[in-house]
Amino acid sequence: MNWLNDIQDFFSSNANSATILVLAFFLIGVVVALILGGAIASKVSSRHIKANEDQAKSAVIASLIDVATEASVWNALSPQEQILSDRAVGQIDIRVRLLNVKGAGIAADWATHQLGEMKRNSATFGYQLDPAVTEFRDRLLLWLHSPSKANKIFTSDLERWAYQSVAPEAKVAAAQDAWVAQQYEQSYAEAATAPVETPEPVYYAAPVATPEEDALSSLRLPREDEDDRGGIPNMF
């Protein structure tokens, strides 16, 4: 217990008050430095995480706008191009849902519905590239810069579409879409099985000189050409 008494005597002694004060200030400085360092490191790491999330979000939005361009001209694509486009849409949908962003699932559902509408409108009413893709792009950019506001719009649209899907007109629209898809597949099947016509070669006969032309060519005067060196006409 002597060492406890020595420590007590050290702190109670007036001669060691300056040393104790320096030690106290040193400990306070270390604690403050640790707190400030932890706060700065946390802020920097959160900023890096946010930057990476924004970069991934921007890449996904760019990919969605790209596939929206193909969806708006869906009826003009070949069956092979449509298969590749569907695969790209499926991969991008997974990437959107895996984002560590609030409302990513709602945004993925909204984008999937909009892409389907673009395909249906392209096959039924013809395509208009600029208006549909522009609206789609603006909503996704709003989601990039203001996620909370965009999520409210997405939720409202999804609720409205869910109500419209059970309306009586939905069955008529589905039947019309099925008929358009059948006509599309039939047209491409007929084009694939149609025979390829090979054009027949065309032969041209060489012109034959008449006796009158032969006689005129024998009476034709020699051409008078100037010699380059002396300016003397050549008669042959």
Side-chain angles (χ1 to χ4, degrees):
M1 298 297 292
N2 291 330
W3 62 275
L4 290 176
N5 294 328
D6 294 338
I7 293 175
Q8 184 179 1
D9 294 339
F10 176 82
F11 282 101
S12 61
S13 176
N14 294 328
N16 298 324
S17 59
T19 305
I20 295 171
L21 184 62
V22 172
L23 182 61
F25 278 115
F26 176 75
L27 293 176
I28 293 173
V30 170
V31 172
V32 171
L34 290 175
I35 293 174
L36 290 177
I40 293 173
S42 176
K43 187 174 182 180
V44 171
S45 61
S46 62
R47 184 176 298 177
H48 280 293
I49 292 172
K50 188 177 184 302
N52 292 332
E53 289 178 354
D54 291 342
Q55 185 177 3
K57 198 174 177 182
S58 300
V60 168
I61 289 175
S63 302
L64 282 173
I65 295 173
D66 186 29
V67 296
T69 304
E70 293 184 349
S72 62
V73 294
W74 184 256
N75 201 37
L77 300 178
S78 65
Q80 291 77 13
E81 291 173 338
Q82 290 182 352
I83 293 173
L84 294 176
S85 179
D86 283 337
R87 291 184 60 186
V89 170
Q91 293 175 359
I92 296 171
D93 180 77
I94 295 174
R95 289 171 57 189
V96 173
R97 297 181 187 277
L98 291 178
L99 288 176
N100 189 19
V101 180
K102 183 179 179 180
I106 297 174
D109 293 338
W110 182 86
T112 301
H113 183 276
Q114 287 295 88
L115 292 174
E117 285 294 315
M118 291 182 190
K119 294 178 183 179
R120 187 179 68 84
N121 293 334
S122 172
T124 307
F125 307 107
Y127 62 89
Q128 294 180 355
L129 178 61
D130 291 338
V133 177
T134 301
E135 182 182 1
F136 187 79
R137 179 201 62 195
D138 293 341
R139 292 292 181 86
L140 290 177
L141 292 178
L142 178 63
W143 181 55
L144 175 63
H145 299 294
S146 182
S148 59
K149 184 177 180 180
N151 286 331
K152 292 180 181 179
I153 297 175
F154 293 162
T155 304
S156 177
D157 289 342
L158 290 172
E159 291 175 355
R160 176 168 52 86
W161 294 332
Y163 174 77
Q164 292 177 352
S165 63
V166 296
E169 295 81 4
K171 295 182 179 180
V172 178
Q176 185 178 7
D177 294 343
W179 180 82
V180 171
Q182 184 179 2
Q183 295 297 320
Y184 174 82
E185 294 176 358
Q186 184 177 357
S187 63
Y188 265 95
E190 292 177 355
T193 57
V196 180
E197 297 182 358
T198 304
E200 297 181 357
V202 180
Y203 300 97
Y204 298 93
V208 180
T210 61
E212 292 79 1
E213 293 176 348
D214 292 338
L216 290 175
S217 63
S218 62
L219 295 176
R220 186 176 297 138
L221 294 176
R223 183 167 54 91
E224 295 183 3
D225 296 333
E226 292 286 332
D227 187 77
D228 294 338
R229 292 172 297 177
I232 303 173
N234 294 329
M235 302 303 295
F236 51 88

